[in-house]
Amino acid sequence: MSDLMTYVPGTSILHRTKAGTKVLTLAVVSIATVVIDNVWLTAGALVLAATAAATARMPRKVLVRQWKAYLLIVVLLGGYQWLTDGPATAFHVAGGLAALLILAGVISSTTRTTELLDLAVRCATPLKRVGVDPERFGIALALGIRSVAVVFDLARDVREAQLARGLGFSLRAFAVPLVVRSLRQADGLAEALIARGFDD
């Protein structure tokens, strides 16, 4: 499984912090950075994210692999915003996204998936009154979390295959096999769920 969504055992204060507290913090920072257009707030979010990563004592290998996935998106978005709206907006948008990605990576690396799923199930319990099954909601969330890492791994495999064949980067040559392999993966998962009675 990709290091993007992998729990890294540790004894830091963030490892010992409850999942609900970490998720709530991420939600507050997300809302603040999106709603409030202020470069100082964005800078503060980046400092908070860097401090969290340092406090979590995440292995350098994990940080590098996470940022290999994030960096291209952040740079492209920042470059586009710079060209269209100027450097301040570019810093606010790209910097805010970078901060949120770092925080999300820290949370996934310091919180067991079971803790996050238990939190989701507890939060969804009041929705029983409107027909929502909290357990199924938890399963759907688990599959969503897993799918992010699976698609990332598939994308990495496709790119490595291209490089092994000496091919340059082509969006079509990259996207087509990725979509095909993702659909095959989804079909296999759907068949497994149906076999276990989750299509009721």
Side-chain angles (χ1 to χ4, degrees):
M1 185 175 178
S2 166
D3 281 328
L4 290 177
M5 304 297 292
T6 301
Y7 171 74
V8 179
T11 58
S12 72
I13 187 172
L14 285 176
H15 282 84
R16 300 192 301 271
T17 302
K18 292 184 178 180
T21 301
K22 288 183 277 192
V23 172
L24 179 61
T25 300
L26 177 61
V28 171
V29 175
S30 300
I31 294 171
T33 53
V34 170
V35 173
I36 304 174
D37 186 356
N38 184 289
V39 294
W40 292 108
L41 178 63
T42 302
L46 285 169
V47 171
L48 174 63
T51 302
T55 302
R57 297 195 286 265
M58 294 168 61
R60 182 178 299 178
K61 179 182 69 173
V62 174
L63 289 172
V64 169
R65 289 186 180 178
Q66 287 181 347
W67 270 100
K68 284 176 68 175
Y70 302 151
L71 188 59
L72 179 61
I73 297 173
V74 173
V75 170
L76 289 176
L77 181 60
Y80 174 77
Q81 291 294 331
W82 186 298
L83 292 173
T84 57
D85 297 306
T89 300
F91 176 73
H92 170 67
V93 174
L97 177 61
L100 297 181
L101 289 173
I102 294 172
L103 287 173
V106 169
I107 290 175
S108 66
S109 298
T110 60
T111 313
R112 297 182 186 277
T113 303
T114 52
E115 294 180 54
L116 292 173
L117 296 180
D118 288 343
L119 174 64
V121 170
R122 290 198 302 272
C123 291
T125 298
L127 298 178
K128 275 186 175 181
R129 300 174 182 176
V130 293
V132 175
D133 185 339
E135 297 298 330
R136 284 180 178 262
F137 176 78
I139 292 172
L141 182 60
L143 292 175
I145 293 173
R146 172 62 182 167
S147 295
V148 172
V150 168
V151 172
F152 175 79
D153 286 339
L154 290 176
R156 183 177 57 193
D157 291 344
V158 169
R159 183 56 184 152
E160 288 177 353
Q162 287 182 320
L163 293 175
R165 294 183 176 89
L167 302 175
F169 183 78
S170 166
L171 183 58
R172 177 180 292 181
F174 175 76
V176 171
L178 176 60
V179 170
V180 171
R181 294 184 66 176
S182 298
L183 290 175
R184 287 178 180 170
Q185 182 77 23
D187 286 341
L189 177 60
E191 291 176 1
L193 290 174
I194 291 172
R196 289 165 175 77
F198 284 103
D199 61 332
D200 295 338

